[in-house]
Amino acid sequence: QVYAIGDAAAIQQGYGVIHGTCQSGMPTGVHAATSIVRELDGRQPHAFRFGYLHIPVSLGRRDAVVQFTRPDDSPKRLFLTGRAAVWYKETVSSAPWPSFRRLRIFPALGSFAWRRGGRYTR
């Protein structure tokens, strides 16, 4: 068995293949770890399901664009630009460290903490 994690993982979902994004890094890593543990225990791993939330793009230190998306990465009407987008992107970019700390304390949190994508990933 081969498990792919992070930005370079090309994993088939109901809407297509996930593309390289930091959004999938922690979810694919947690899924790979729990799948390996399940296999070592003689159980079948669960299917990986992932849904996107947004596409943040930095345009320098003082400008950005954030396009909110459906789980299949298609755009919603909601977006942010300018300083609001910079603040949002900086907040989201710093989120992995608190998430990582919580996962070290309570590893099972990773099994249900991320957006699964609902009907888009089936």
Side-chain angles (χ1 to χ4, degrees):
Q1 295 289 348
V2 175
Y3 288 93
I5 61 172
D7 295 5
I11 302 167
Q12 184 66 42
Q13 297 290 280
Y15 53 80
V17 176
I18 63 173
H19 56 82
T21 173
C22 62
Q23 289 181 69
S24 64
M26 288 179 81
T28 56
V30 168
H31 178 75
T34 57
S35 294
I36 291 167
V37 169
R38 287 182 66 84
E39 285 189 24
L40 291 173
D41 288 343
R43 299 178 291 163
Q44 285 286 86
H46 295 296
F48 178 71
R49 292 179 55 203
F50 174 77
Y52 293 99
L53 181 62
H54 56 240
I55 302 171
V57 178
S58 287
L59 303 170
R61 279 292 194 193
R62 297 179 185 199
D63 202 5
V65 175
V66 177
Q67 175 67 62
F68 292 94
T69 65
R70 293 177 186 82
D72 68 348
D73 208 26
S74 62
K76 290 183 175 179
R77 292 180 70 136
L78 181 62
F79 62 91
L80 297 173
T81 60
R83 297 299 293 162
V86 170
W87 175 84
Y88 178 88
K89 186 177 181 313
E90 290 298 318
T91 301
V92 169
S93 296
S94 66
W97 295 113
S99 296
F100 179 71
R101 275 192 297 278
R102 284 189 294 275
L103 286 171
R104 288 190 59 186
I105 295 166
F106 187 58
L109 180 64
S111 297
F112 55 85
W114 286 282
R115 189 172 188 189
R116 300 268 191 262
R119 65 184 168 87
Y120 291 91
T121 58
R122 289 192 174 93

